[in-house]
Amino acid sequence: MSVISILFLPLVATALVCIPVKKHWAAAVTVVSSLAVLILAGRLAWLASSGSFITVALKAGVLKWIAVDGLSALILLLIAFIGTTAAIFSVGYMAHENLEPGKLRLYYANYNLFVFSMLAIPLLAEPTLVWIVVELTTLCSALLVSFDNTREALEAAWKYVVLSLMGAGMALFGLLVLFAAMQASASDAAYTWNGLIAAAPTMPPVLLRTAFLLILIGLGTKVGLVPMHTWLPDAHSQAPSPVCALLSGIETTAILYVILRMFPVMKASHSSHAELWALVLGLISVGTAAFLLLQVRDYKRMFAFSTVEHMGIILTSVGLGVSAAAYGTMMQIVTHAVSKSFCFFAAGAVLMAAGTRDIAAVRGLIHRSPAAGIALVFGGLAITGAPPLAVFLSEFLILKAGLMQREYVATGLLALFIVIAFFGIMMHVNRMVFGPAANENNSVPDQVETFHLPFSCRLALILAATPVLVLGVYIPKPLEDLLTQAAAALTK
Amino acid sequence: MSDTTNQLLDNLNALAAGLFLLTAFGIVAMRQVRGCLNLFIAQSLLLAASAALLGLRHHSEHLYGVAVVNLISKPVIVPWLLRKTSPAEIYTRREIDQVLNIPTALLIALSLTILAYFLGIPLLNAVAPQFRGPNVPIGIAGLLLGAFTLTVRREALPLLIGLLVMENGSFLAGISISRNLPLLVELAIATDGLVIVFIMGVLTRAVQKQIGTTAVGELSNLKETAGPPARETAT
């Protein structure tokens, strides 16, 4: 039953935060419910790490379409973890914004709905239902992106909704074609991820290929793959920072997970098209993002482009050989999620301290707010893969797998783009944190000399930094089992 | 059912699909925003008709379900939701400056339709003969024309309709090749369409309040190079 309660908790929380009582009620409810979801997700992940396949065996209606294996448990755990840290970060961040109570309740209601829609993605096993919750993630987060209600925020939200839904329209057609392929095959398995793998060998190849491409491009729009990425830096920079952490850290990954589910199906039908497409799209994304990173003017946009880059890395690593790099791919999914959410918390801290998103206007941050400065440097190092942090390990695993597969050109390009992105991000971060202190034409209003981060923001930063530090040097046994199980689901 | 009845049903379905394509062209070209909405309603009715005819042809209750869901959600609830959420100004607008002029837009739409035909043929060859009809190429054409509408329009409502046309197109193609999609899924997809309308209506209202127009095409501040980004305070 814990599977169902994972979905119920955020909905209950949504209803509860709408009750207008004390000032901190909404925030407290959200934090408590996310913690409960995290515990339940942890328990599910524990079960899945021992290789058990959890289905909810109630034969009525939608419930038979809920299934959890290693891969979905991993994604679920990440969503729950970032949902919790972002909720904690929200407490201090939103209090700092001095909103009226109604607006604050709206924020937390939307937040919980958004987390609900994301949690449903890995739990559901029926592709069209997954498509519906993917749509819901867009719709629930649209009003969070436009939350500041500025001209820019509205533009970002509008672009986000139109482009994501356009992609979703294509993906829907892909799923219907997939369903047709399923009916044309010799198998009478149910229309679930596992049923698809069983039916794949006898599906008409043309239908399967068409469906795969439509899904890759349609959902790839929402993942932010180049050239469908144009909305991503806008939406992922205009939203409030805790929401950016959710959007960039885990929403993109959760959608990418849906695409990854198609790879075992393609493999079962003995088609190598899927890996080639993944390799090409992935490398284009990494390369474009690496160069765009050099010329950003807004540090939240910088981290958003880094998300495009990392989505590209994950897809490239799938393209290098689904089975060869599977463990590295899973590792990269984990490390990106934890590092990127940390980066956006750091960016939120900087925004609170400096009051601007302009890279050029932030100088000498280390003097104004040592905590925000240290967090930004740490975030920059973490996301660009400096040793011994977590991303370094996962990128190393992927590059190693690429060399073992003798894909020298693709691996070389990937390594080159990663290095360019490293210099791009660290150049900006270095100037912001250690650059000569603010001069007179700085538009930042007069503030006290040092800015103190709220306690909850510090707590969220520490919580988010822990896995980034630990996973670089030591992977606990249960997590390693879970990663192995997830990799097994990808190579099935 | 006799062969002549089947023949008749197939022909009627082809007629509905043909008119569906015509409405998609109309939505690309129509300048009056209210006209776009009316064309979309007509298109949804045609989709429902096609689903009902195919349901009759293949004895499938699921397709009747699709027909009923479409009949209720799009022609009735969508306009109602729009009235509730978005500013009234949205209907009265005329788009004078489209990105492309109408003849060019229609020519491109025509070539997209031909492309859709060639994309649809291989798919049709892979399914059982009795499901081969004009639905698949026309559905793909609807998908492409909807996407095309999204790229050339600047007003909020035609953009929203472009999205819904894409969904209609997916459905028109989908119902002919993948029958027996569980009804629950159909219902969920229809509900989802309504949520889209609701959210976009709310966004449109916010845009109108903020910049005084519903021409969302004028929102183009967020770029990498043009000027320093707006300085907003978090306080």
Side-chain angles (χ1 to χ4, degrees):
Chain A
M1 275 327 277
S2 63
V3 181
I4 308 292
S5 29
I6 286 182
L7 290 180
F8 262 115
L9 274 169
L11 287 181
V12 172
T14 311
L16 283 180
V17 299
C18 295
I19 305 171
V21 275
K22 278 206 196 119
K23 200 178 153 213
H24 290 297
W25 165 252
V29 167
T30 308
V31 171
V32 169
S33 115
S34 340
L35 271 175
V37 168
L38 179 61
I39 292 168
L40 289 173
R43 204 179 135 255
L44 264 186
W46 178 268
L47 288 175
S49 69
S50 61
S52 49
F53 181 71
I54 304 133
T55 49
V56 177
L58 296 174
K59 283 291 173 204
V62 70
L63 295 183
K64 70 180 169 194
W65 290 319
I66 293 181
V68 181
D69 63 357
L71 183 52
S72 28
L74 182 70
I75 303 290
L76 191 72
L77 187 63
L78 288 174
I79 297 172
F81 177 72
I82 294 168
T84 309
T85 49
I88 296 173
F89 191 83
S90 294
V91 178
Y93 187 84
M94 296 320 273
H96 185 75
E97 301 240 328
N98 282 329
L99 298 164
E100 54 194 81
K103 183 102 169 144
L104 196 62
R105 281 199 296 276
L106 187 70
Y107 170 81
Y108 282 110
N110 250 317
Y111 182 95
N112 282 310
L113 269 183
F114 181 39
V115 170
F116 160 76
S117 58
M118 282 195 294
L119 287 171
I121 294 177
L123 285 179
L124 291 170
E126 210 265 8
T128 33
L129 286 179
V130 173
W131 178 84
I132 288 160
V133 288
V134 167
E135 286 270 271
L136 277 183
T137 58
T138 310
L139 297 168
C140 295
S141 53
L143 295 183
L144 287 174
V145 172
S146 74
F147 190 77
D148 284 349
N149 224 355
T150 56
R151 193 185 164 110
E152 285 78 17
L154 284 168
E155 180 188 343
W158 187 268
K159 274 193 202 165
Y160 172 48
V161 173
V162 168
L163 278 166
S164 300
L165 295 186
M166 191 168 155
M170 291 182 71
L172 173 65
F173 184 53
L175 287 173
L176 292 174
V177 172
L178 197 60
F179 192 71
M182 188 93 188
Q183 288 186 325
S185 75
S187 157
D188 57 351
Y191 188 43
T192 59
W193 297 125
N194 281 329
L196 277 171
I197 296 173
T202 50
M203 280 184 193
V206 60
L207 288 184
L208 185 57
R209 268 206 305 269
T210 313
F212 173 76
L213 271 185
L214 284 166
I215 292 169
L216 177 66
I217 293 177
L219 293 182
T221 312
K222 204 160 150 41
V223 175
L225 300 177
V226 176
M228 295 88 75
H229 70 288
T230 48
W231 61 272
L232 191 143
D234 301 346
H236 288 199
S237 63
Q238 292 297 325
S241 297
V243 177
C244 296
L246 278 178
L247 285 170
S248 249
I250 192 63
E251 193 212 14
T252 44
T253 311
I255 313 292
L256 190 63
Y257 150 85
V258 183
I259 299 178
L260 290 185
R261 280 285 185 196
M262 285 302 294
F263 282 90
V265 182
M266 293 299 281
K267 197 172 165 229
S269 79
H270 305 293
S271 154
S272 61
H273 289 265
E275 292 180 12
L276 187 63
W277 274 97
L279 190 64
V280 171
L281 262 183
L283 275 180
I284 292 176
S285 300
V286 183
T288 314
F291 284 103
L292 284 172
L293 267 174
L294 296 173
Q295 49 147 13
V296 286
R297 291 155 171 271
D298 174 334
Y299 52 87
K300 279 176 88 176
R301 284 180 81 89
M302 173 177 83
F303 287 130
F305 274 118
S306 153
T307 301
V308 176
E309 183 216 343
H310 277 266
M311 290 300 118
I313 293 177
I314 296 174
L315 207 59
T316 311
S317 101
V318 175
L320 285 174
V322 172
S323 26
Y327 188 83
T329 312
M330 291 304 135
M331 190 68 199
Q332 177 75 21
I333 284 177
V334 174
T335 57
H336 168 253
V338 291
S339 309
K340 186 53 63 62
S341 58
F342 180 88
C343 285
F344 273 106
F345 296 149
V350 176
L351 186 60
M352 278 196 274
T356 170
R357 293 178 185 153
D358 195 353
I359 290 176
V362 182
R363 288 290 180 265
L365 186 67
I366 197 79
H367 305 299
R368 168 160 303 162
S369 169
I374 293 168
L376 193 66
V377 173
F378 183 74
L381 288 172
I383 201 63
T384 48
L389 301 173
V391 172
F392 171 75
L393 180 66
S394 56
E395 285 178 350
F396 180 76
L397 281 175
I398 291 172
L399 293 175
K400 192 177 118 199
L403 290 178
M404 305 269 270
Q405 288 289 97
R406 299 180 187 281
E407 296 268 8
Y408 297 120
V409 179
T411 314
L413 278 174
L414 185 63
L416 176 70
F417 294 146
I418 289 174
V419 171
I420 292 174
F422 177 87
F423 283 111
I425 290 181
M426 287 323 287
M427 179 182 76
H428 293 307
V429 167
N430 185 30
R431 280 188 197 154
M432 284 166 69
V433 178
F434 302 111
N439 48 19
E440 60 273 41
N441 65 11
N442 191 338
S443 71
V444 179
D446 296 319
Q447 288 184 354
V448 282
E449 204 42 51
T450 52
F451 172 82
H452 289 289
L453 272 181
F455 169 73
S456 62
C457 294
R458 285 169 191 261
L459 181 65
L461 279 168
I462 291 169
L463 282 179
T466 314
V468 181
L469 271 172
V470 172
L471 293 184
V473 284
Y474 167 69
I475 301 175
K477 184 80 174 76
L479 183 65
E480 197 184 337
D481 289 344
L482 185 62
L483 287 169
T484 316
Q485 289 296 333
L490 189 62
T491 54
K492 201 155 21 185
Chain B
M1 227 177 281
S2 69
D3 276 352
T4 42
T5 343
N6 277 347
Q7 190 69 41
L8 180 68
L9 288 174
D10 278 345
N11 286 345
L12 281 174
N13 177 45
L15 178 68
L19 289 173
F20 181 98
L21 185 60
L22 206 59
T23 54
F25 269 89
I27 290 167
V28 170
M30 182 71 82
R31 287 196 176 204
Q32 277 86 356
V33 170
R34 156 134 350 235
C36 269
L37 184 65
N38 289 341
L39 274 175
F40 166 71
I41 291 172
Q43 187 181 57
S44 306
L45 289 174
L46 287 165
L47 172 62
S50 175
L53 289 166
L54 283 175
L56 211 55
R57 166 84 167 75
H58 300 299
H59 315 286
S60 156
E61 312 87 58
H62 292 286
L63 290 178
Y64 293 140
V66 177
V68 173
V69 166
N70 265 297
L71 212 53
I72 297 171
S73 69
K74 282 164 190 160
V76 183
I77 306 183
V78 166
W80 176 79
L81 259 182
L82 278 175
R83 256 203 313 282
K84 286 277 164 205
T85 54
S86 43
E89 185 205 343
I90 202 168
Y91 293 113
T92 55
R93 291 186 65 94
R94 261 174 66 106
E95 257 178 289
I96 308 301
D97 56 333
Q98 288 186 355
V99 179
L100 292 171
N101 63 25
I102 288 177
T104 322
L106 281 178
L107 269 178
I108 294 176
L110 190 67
S111 44
L112 283 177
T113 312
I114 296 168
L115 176 69
Y117 178 77
F118 284 107
L119 290 177
I121 293 304
L123 293 188
L124 275 187
N125 288 337
V127 297
Q130 70 267 32
F131 303 122
R132 289 176 194 165
N135 280 38
V136 170
I138 289 181
I140 297 176
L143 196 69
L144 294 177
L145 292 180
F148 181 57
T149 310
L150 285 176
T151 57
V152 295
R153 306 303 289 255
R154 314 167 78 108
E155 268 296 323
L157 191 60
L159 286 172
L160 168 59
I161 288 175
L163 282 173
L164 295 174
V165 168
M166 284 185 76
E167 207 185 282
N168 273 356
S170 294
F171 257 107
L172 189 77
I175 52 174
S176 73
I177 52 173
S178 55
R179 298 138 297 116
N180 305 337
L181 203 61
L183 189 63
L184 186 78
V185 173
E186 305 282 2
L187 271 176
I189 293 178
T191 321
D192 184 76
L194 298 179
V195 181
I196 294 177
V197 174
F198 175 75
I199 298 283
M200 305 237 341
V202 171
L203 272 183
T204 311
R205 172 169 290 232
V207 169
Q208 198 232 12
K209 260 194 190 155
Q210 186 64 230
I211 67 169
T213 168
T214 55
V216 288
E218 286 170 20
L219 289 170
S220 56
N221 280 14
L222 291 171
K223 276 177 198 145
E224 227 51 66
T225 43
R231 292 184 182 178
E232 290 148 37
T233 54
T235 46

